Structures are given as structure tokens and as C-alpha cells.
Amino acid sequence: MPKAPPPEDSESSPPSHPTRRMFGRIAYGAIALAAIGTATTYSVRAASAKGDLTSNLTLIAPAGAGGGWDGFARETQQSMRVTALANNAQVVNIPGAGGTIGLGKFSTMHGQADTILATGTAMTGGIALNKSPVGYDDTTLLARVAEDYDVLITAADAPYDTIDDVIAAWKQKPKDFVWTGGSAGSVDHLTIAQLALLGKIPASDITYIPKSGGGEAIQTLLSGTTDFASCGFNEVSDQIDAGRVKAIGVAAPERVKGFEDVPTMSEQGYKVTLTNWRGWLGAPDITGDESSQLLEVLGKTRDSDAWKDALDRNQWTDVWLTGDEFAEFIKEDTSRVEKLLKELGL
């Protein structure tokens, strides 16, 4: 299992003078402590991170309640409880900066194997966009678990039915078309960037208004303040089903079960490849045995009927990946996201 190298400001070999990286870590840790308030009582349990890790397992969602990471963490928690894999699993939210506030706090939790951090595409973007002083190398990689796909939506009465319709109108007045989705640099934003580049539209011409989630994005469409939105399919599937918004295309390799009338972007000639993957990280400096225990728990959770039901309900796809393959995927994902952010001028 790939492990992170010792951090530059390790207590075992302190630098002769404070480094920029150290100041960054201290700042991120301080912000995270303020963000979670009294919930930080879990972080003093370092001594319990020995033996049976399932007796008190903390799952950190690096975002606010109700978001994608929060839903992923709570579905994992529920599946662990139903299958008795971790009866005392608890979820703690540490929101902010594309997951990097939570990551910053987590990077200081050396050896605390009873705590894991949700991660994914948004964190890859957050690390790059915020020039985070901490990254994946400051953790222990565990597993990529699931992914979901963005869907391009517009108002139900909008005069667009295909991506070609959208691109043709967008090219005529690119800056007049207003898009919305998640935070700047999120998979929603990057999906739109990929679509623009494939349609020969300069990414710098994108007018994008970030929102906290699919619900807010839909309200802007219905009020006419935006023209299109890119959102996670599970966030807006009920609104598509109800006919409140129109789905133009989904950024998936095949049509989504239950929504077979919504074509993929690829079959319309626009191969948007970015997916919103989600997975888990272990704390820095945990042992190989602790890492194996955590992977065993996560693997059994992934194989459970409760988790398979969660995949179905949320329109998630199983993309289990561990070890060296996961580490290589992280490198590729980072390179892809950084390239898109550069093209966006972010």
C-alpha cells in the first residue's frame, strides 16, 4: 500500500527555520479547528487508534452537511452500521476550500488510524486551485470507491434539445451564455470547460456562476438568471423526472439506468471524460497493518447489500481501486484537472 513520505516539518527532524510549507500547514490546521468547533473532541482519540479500528471509526466529510461528500460519508456510515462492520462509526464535517480545509487538518493527525477522510475529484481541484500547502502525499491512500456523472440541464422550455444546439448558440455569443454549477474548479465547472474546448469555444469566454449544489442551480435556471447548469446526476434526477428541467446530455460512458432517454455526451460527439470520483484516505504515518485493517473494512462495506443499494439509489458507479493502481490514478487525475484549470485561467 503506498504511504506518504514523512512531512517536511516532522517532529523527528525539525527544520532549522520555519518553512513556507510549515506556515501553510499551521494555518490550515488552525482554520480547520475553528471550523469544526466542539466536534474536534474526536481528534484527541489518538490512543484509540490501535487494535480494533472499527470500535470508534470517524469518517470526515470535507464539506458541509447535505453536499456530495457528506452524502457519500453518511451512506458509508449507514452501510457499516447495517452490516455491523463499524457500529460506532461517526461522521464529522469540515467544510471549506474544495475539501482542503479538511485535508489540512487531517494531514496533522499522524498515526490516527481510526479516522479516515473522504476525497475525490473536487479535492484534486481544490488542491490545485487553492495552491494548498498539503496534498495527497501527506496522507495514506486507501481506495477509490465510487463515481457519479454530471448532467447538462436547462429550463424545460428552453429551445435546446441536443449539445449541438447548445454549442451552435453558444458560439454566436459565448459570453452572453451564463452557466452554473458547483464551486469554481469543481467537477461541474471542469465539465463545462471540457465541453467548451471540444466545441472550439475558448474556456476564457465561459461565464460561470458557482452555487452550493444542484438545488440552487435549478432555482437560477427557473428564474432565468442562468441558461445552463452542470450538476451531479443524483442531485437533479428527481427534477428531471418531474419535467421541471430538461436534460441535454450526461457525461457518462453509457446512459443512466432509469433515464435511458437522456443521451450521453459521448454519443452526441462530445467525449467529456471527467468523472466525479469519491474515495477514502488514511491518516499520515499509520502502519501497514492499520492500513490493511481499514481496507478490509472498506472492502467489506463495498461488497455489502446495503452499499449496493446506496449505489443504485444515488446513481453511483462502483470503481473500486487500491494500491499502486490508485496511486497512479491520483497522478493522472491531478494532471488532467491541473490542465483544465490552466485552460480556464484559474
Side-chain angles (χ1 to χ4, degrees):
M1 170 57 56
K3 289 190 54 96
E8 294 176 7
D9 56 335
S10 171
E11 291 180 359
S12 60
S13 55
S16 59
H17 60 279
T19 65
R20 178 181 178 185
R21 189 174 177 87
M22 177 188 290
F23 278 127
R25 291 186 181 185
I26 292 171
Y28 266 64
I31 294 170
L33 282 171
I36 61 175
T38 57
T40 53
T41 53
Y42 79 92
S43 66
V44 299
R45 273 195 348 260
S48 70
K50 306 294 179 184
D52 182 11
L53 300 180
T54 65
S55 59
N56 284 293
L57 188 62
T58 295
L59 287 65
I60 299 178
W69 267 323
D70 181 65
F72 174 70
R74 293 185 190 280
E75 289 281 18
T76 303
Q77 174 196 42
Q78 181 63 15
S79 296
M80 287 179 172
R81 287 177 173 175
V82 168
T83 55
L85 288 169
N87 292 323
N88 199 30
Q90 62 173 314
V91 175
V92 172
N93 296 87
I94 309 180
T100 57
I101 298 298
L103 176 64
K105 170 58 185 172
F106 192 64
S107 71
T108 69
M109 299 175 67
H110 299 279
Q112 294 192 38
D114 59 349
T115 302
I116 58 178
L117 174 72
T119 187
T121 310
M123 185 172 289
T124 305
I127 291 170
L129 187 62
N130 296 295
K131 296 180 173 55
S132 173
V134 293
Y136 290 114
D137 286 345
D138 301 291
T139 69
T140 300
L141 301 183
L142 292 176
R144 185 186 70 179
V145 179
E147 67 183 6
D148 56 69
Y149 307 101
D150 263 31
V151 61
L152 172 61
I153 59 174
T154 189
D157 59 353
Y160 314 102
D161 296 308
T162 67
I163 294 181
D164 277 338
D165 293 342
V166 175
I167 295 295
W170 195 6
K171 279 183 174 180
Q172 292 188 16
K173 295 182 178 180
K175 293 187 177 180
D176 289 351
F177 272 57
V178 183
W179 296 80
T180 189
S183 60
S186 67
V187 68
D188 302 339
H189 196 181
L190 297 177
T191 294
I192 294 167
Q194 274 198 325
L195 191 59
L197 294 171
L198 291 170
K200 312 292 187 198
I201 296 169
S204 58
D205 283 347
I206 296 173
T207 301
Y208 184 78
I209 300 176
K211 295 293 179 181
S212 63
E216 282 193 26
I218 285 175
Q219 290 306 313
T220 66
L221 288 178
L222 298 179
S223 66
T225 55
T226 61
D227 299 296
F228 301 98
S230 180
C231 306
F233 202 100
N234 63 318
E235 291 183 277
V236 297
S237 59
D238 57 338
Q239 302 299 319
I240 295 171
D241 195 37
R244 295 187 71 207
V245 296
K246 182 192 300 185
I248 302 294
V250 60
E254 57 187 33
R255 298 193 183 199
V256 176
K257 181 181 177 182
F259 293 85
E260 286 82 1
D261 59 332
V262 180
T264 68
M265 294 183 184
S266 293
E267 68 184 274
Q268 295 183 69
Y270 299 86
K271 192 174 181 180
V272 177
T273 57
L274 198 66
T275 60
N276 194 18
W277 67 270
R278 304 182 194 279
W280 292 103
L281 303 173
D285 301 325
I286 62 174
T287 68
D289 180 62
E290 289 166 338
S291 178
S292 296
Q293 284 187 55
L294 289 171
L295 272 175
E296 182 178 5
V297 172
L298 291 173
K300 288 181 177 179
T301 301
R302 174 244 184 175
D303 291 336
S304 69
D305 289 339
W307 182 251
K308 291 174 183 176
D309 178 62
L311 291 177
D312 186 60
R313 282 186 287 101
N314 291 283
Q315 282 95 32
W316 293 339
T317 301
D318 178 88
V319 287
W320 182 260
L321 200 65
T322 63
D324 291 341
E325 291 181 334
F326 184 32
E328 183 61 30
F329 170 80
I330 289 288
K331 291 180 182 178
E332 293 172 356
D333 190 58
T334 299
S335 175
R336 181 167 52 247
V337 169
E338 287 179 346
K339 180 181 178 181
L340 281 170
L341 288 173
K342 184 177 180 180
E343 289 171 333
L344 280 169
L346 295 174

